[in-house]
Amino acid sequence: MSMAYSLFLPLMSSRSVHELLPSVLVAGLLLCPAALVHGSESPGDESARLAIKVDQVGYPLNGPKVALVSSPATTFEVRRSSDNQVVFHGKLGTAVFDPNTGDQVRAADFSALRRTGSFYLEVPGVGRSWNFTVGKNVFQHTYYMAMRAFYGQRCGTAVDMGPEFPGYSHAICHQHGEFHPSSGASGPRDNIGGWHDAGDYGRYMVNSGISTGTLLWAWEIYGRKLRNISLRIPESGNGTPDILNEARWNLEWMLKMQDDDGGAWHKQASEHFSGFVAPEDDKLPSEVIGTGAAPYKSTCATADLAAVGAIAARVYKPYDAKFAAQALDAARRAWAWTEKNPDVTFRNPAGVSTGEYGDASCKDERLWAAAELWRTTGEAVYNDFFLKNYAEFLPSLDSPPAENWNAMGQMALRTYVLSTRKGADANAVAAIRERILAAARAIVERTRANSYLTSMQAKDYVWGSNGVAADYGAGLLIANVIQPDPSFVDAARDNLHYLLGRNTFSLSWVTQVGEHPFQHPHHRPSGDGKQPGPWPGLLSGGPNAARQDALLAAMPRDLPPAKLYADQLASYASNEICINWQASLVFLLAGEL
Ligand SMILES: [Zn+2]
């Protein structure tokens, strides 16, 4: 659950992990992924693959194609995987020091290669790389994997990833819930549904808000490309595109978290984290948890419900007008509640230690709600609120926040500009556009100057840094919607390349994607001992220089920020999965299809 652990719960989280750690970790140490895949090869083969960093998924046929080499060498070849034929050869760039990793990096630019197929790099004196593809629609399968991973996170139902991933299934889970005393109510409240948030089984409105909103935006912007991609989920073929079918699973749960007065409870989770058990084996009571005092619901959760409900009203209208109307009604009632209760923040009540998703200010969430409601309805009340409050959030457009779930100013400003509503304030639109485009141009320059060709700065290696990389990409893609510019799309894709293997670890940070993906997510269904490996399609949190778990804390003091990562189940601060990072990855992939 991202930063919620780091700020308030490090001991609780690590304790729950350690209960069943020994056997899992021993297995992880003895059977590293490379040993499983290439057990018959020499250590030199392995070190070459780690030194030659490629996007293990691939490169679009007509775009830039760059690999990076961190061992001394001068030339490289691109060879066809099927018969080792050389299809391209070139000189490596000069070595450049990268302070974020401590690596000396040389670029292997094979952009001029215009052949489709499966290839690898051969670097004389170093060895060969992992395989990758050059072609059209090269990221479509990765989009499928990343979006389908949300199905794997479904709560309140049995899940089976099917014959493609045999053994990845769980029985129906969390079928009963109840009001916690902090909610101001009592008795049963099942609220079945939603997505398990992260490595744990909690469901949290605030993180659901940004995650679901991001997926619905992906549909609004890239729906033409996504419309016909089946996710092989139970609803497939029902006439609604699958990305919307999957998002609705979580939306339905969010709607159930709204009280009769319009406010939304903050979260539904057990009081403390379960052990590393399968979802159906988590028998801790699932509690609807509130603020502990009137009005019991929180403003951030309620405003996020208003925002997402407003988007849903636009998006689902062609497919299910009744559901769209229900979502809009919920959004309006949620907004009205926040007008009466503009600043009810949330902290975990006494005795509750699951993810907090606390936030000192809900003003940005309200701005997002107003902007989405304006975009959907065109009603002046929402526009007026937006125009009174937007200016203070303009600086938020310059860079992704470290915790994107608590900083909704960017989405508020972006949706105002993406809207085509008449009556929008021209000065506000111009100011936001200018700021978005200036930020994008600066990020492109920085990305080109970075030895690893990422937009990441030293300060970005925080809890969930891979989500920050994905958010840089998403921001560049939105800039490209506002003013098309191929350099924005290329720089966005550079961040995708980073996540898919062109990084210091030569590691794909998406499970079961690429030849060398990470293996040990902090994710209870992957760590319960019942599956052959990690559940597919999940994005790791990534390097975290704040070292908020024992494994990171024990690493050498002088290790550069981008190196502070452990592919181990116990490293919840660098290797957990989370739906908000996952949604950012899906958006980035959708934009690069
Ligand atoms: Zn569940």
Side-chain angles (χ1 to χ4, degrees):
M1 72 215 26
S2 96
M3 285 299 283
Y5 277 135
S6 70
L7 294 177
F8 308 109
L9 304 165
L11 294 175
M12 185 58 66
S13 177
S14 58
R15 194 155 56 229
S16 69
V17 175
H18 286 150
E19 285 165 9
L20 29 139
L21 210 51
S23 62
V24 178
L25 267 195
V26 167
L29 290 170
L30 292 176
L31 297 173
C32 76
L36 288 171
V37 178
H38 300 280
S40 62
E41 298 185 359
S42 72
D45 297 326
E46 173 67 15
S47 67
R49 286 175 170 88
L50 298 181
I52 307 168
K53 296 99 164 51
V54 300
D55 183 324
Q56 294 165 34
V57 172
Y59 301 83
L61 183 59
N62 295 318
K65 303 172 195 70
V66 178
L68 298 168
V69 181
S70 60
S71 288
T74 54
T75 63
F76 71 97
E77 297 166 341
V78 180
R79 292 173 177 250
R80 195 158 61 197
S81 305
S82 58
D83 60 3
N84 303 316
Q85 187 197 345
V86 177
V87 296
F88 187 91
H89 57 88
K91 285 186 178 169
L92 294 171
T94 52
V96 185
F97 178 71
D98 174 52
N100 290 337
T101 59
D103 294 346
Q104 296 276 354
V105 186
R106 294 163 177 80
D109 188 334
F110 54 103
S111 302
L113 175 67
R114 296 291 167 88
R115 286 201 205 187
T116 61
S118 175
F119 304 100
Y120 64 91
L121 251 67
E122 180 78 37
V123 179
V126 179
R128 65 166 287 176
S129 74
W130 309 107
N131 293 298
F132 56 86
T133 298
V134 173
K136 294 175 179 169
N137 303 322
V138 73
F139 296 116
Q140 184 160 322
H141 184 67
T142 309
Y143 164 81
Y144 162 84
M145 293 279 285
M147 186 59 222
R148 195 167 188 248
F150 284 95
Y151 168 63
Q153 292 294 103
R154 282 193 191 188
C155 184
T157 185
V159 168
D160 189 337
M161 301 306 273
E164 188 182 355
F165 293 102
Y168 293 88
S169 63
H170 72 71
I172 189 167
C173 60
H174 306 109
Q175 299 165 78
H176 302 292
E178 64 190 23
F179 283 112
H180 188 264
S182 62
S183 68
S186 60
R189 178 85 169 198
D190 291 344
N191 287 356
I192 293 167
W195 295 314
H196 299 142
D197 180 67
D200 68 311
Y201 297 130
R203 292 166 286 162
Y204 308 93
M205 285 293 279
V206 164
N207 207 38
S208 274
I210 186 170
S211 305
T212 313
T214 298
L215 296 179
L216 295 181
W217 274 29
W219 166 259
E220 285 198 294
I221 297 173
Y222 304 113
R224 189 179 49 80
K225 295 189 283 184
L226 306 180
R227 187 182 306 275
N228 295 320
I229 299 178
S230 170
L231 299 176
R232 299 187 198 180
I233 55 179
E235 298 82 3
S236 294
N238 67 357
T240 299
D242 271 355
I243 184 174
L244 298 186
N245 280 325
E246 189 54 50
R248 183 168 174 167
W249 184 265
N250 200 57
L251 269 169
E252 301 261 15
W253 170 77
M254 291 183 75
L255 292 169
K256 291 172 188 169
M257 289 292 281
Q258 188 172 36
D259 197 0
D260 293 340
D261 65 359
W265 286 285
H266 199 76
K267 66 181 201 174
Q268 184 161 8
S270 44
E271 289 189 332
H272 59 88
F273 291 118
S274 73
F276 258 69
V277 297
E280 65 271 27
D281 296 331
D282 172 21
K283 303 302 184 192
L284 296 173
S286 175
E287 312 266 1
V288 176
I289 293 171
T291 61
Y296 300 103
K297 282 77 66 177
S298 79
T299 305
C300 288
T302 305
D304 277 357
L305 175 64
V308 173
I311 309 173
R314 300 194 295 268
V315 162
Y316 289 91
K317 198 172 180 184
Y319 302 102
D320 187 341
K322 192 176 163 196
F323 179 64
Q326 180 197 347
L328 182 57
D329 177 63
R332 287 181 187 282
R333 289 189 294 114
W335 173 262
W337 191 92
T338 68
E339 288 203 300
K340 287 185 212 130
N341 305 278
D343 196 22
V344 185
T345 54
F346 179 85
R347 296 297 302 262
N348 267 335
V352 174
S353 57
T354 37
E356 181 167 85
Y357 289 109
D359 187 344
S361 169
C362 302
K363 198 171 177 186
D364 49 320
E365 283 79 7
R366 293 196 73 209
L367 191 74
W368 184 36
E372 296 291 5
L373 277 159
W374 152 253
R375 189 174 170 185
T376 301
T377 68
E379 291 170 15
V381 58
Y382 307 119
N383 198 24
D384 291 347
F385 183 93
F386 181 85
L387 294 174
K388 277 196 193 104
N389 294 285
Y390 82 92
E392 72 178 273
F393 293 97
L394 284 171
S396 75
L397 293 169
D398 297 344
S399 188
E403 300 172 76
N404 67 359
W405 53 265
N406 75 3
M408 302 310 301
Q410 285 189 342
M411 284 185 82
L413 300 175
R414 287 168 176 168
T415 203
Y416 196 77
V417 168
L418 293 171
S419 167
T420 52
R421 280 239 165 250
K422 284 182 186 162
D425 183 89
N427 290 332
V429 170
I432 298 165
R433 277 181 59 101
E434 192 179 316
R435 192 90 184 207
I436 288 174
L437 295 173
R441 285 189 284 263
I443 291 167
V444 166
E445 288 309 309
R446 198 171 78 225
T447 306
R448 287 175 171 168
N450 182 291
S451 316
Y452 263 96
L453 298 172
T454 81
S455 307
M456 300 289 281
Q457 299 175 282
K459 69 174 179 59
D460 293 323
Y461 291 96
V462 294
W463 195 309
S465 68
N466 282 344
V468 178
D471 281 340
Y472 272 120
L476 287 161
L477 290 172
I478 287 170
N480 183 63
V481 174
I482 290 168
Q483 182 177 297
D485 184 331
S487 76
F488 296 167
V489 182
D490 288 347
R493 194 183 314 121
D494 278 328
N495 288 295
L496 182 58
H497 289 326
Y498 167 79
L499 296 174
L500 296 176
R502 203 176 64 185
N503 54 59
T504 187
F505 302 101
S506 200
L507 191 69
S508 165
W509 269 309
V510 182
T511 49
Q512 306 213 27
V513 168
E515 279 196 301
H516 187 226
F518 83 109
Q519 295 290 318
H520 304 290
H522 182 89
H523 178 238
R524 279 163 177 71
S526 297
D528 67 3
K530 292 185 177 177
Q531 272 72 35
W535 280 60
L538 295 165
L539 178 67
S540 166
N544 178 3
R547 302 172 180 253
Q548 292 126 322
D549 63 45
L551 282 165
L552 297 179
M555 289 182 172
R557 297 313 305 172
D558 58 350
L559 212 52
K563 291 276 199 193
L564 283 154
Y565 168 77
D567 182 12
Q568 296 197 35
L569 182 150
S571 186
Y572 51 86
S574 80
N575 214 27
E576 190 173 9
I577 68 99
C578 202
I579 58 172
N580 60 324
W581 313 328
Q582 193 72 26
S584 297
L585 174 67
V586 166
F587 187 95
L588 178 53
L589 286 161
E592 296 290 348
L593 288 181

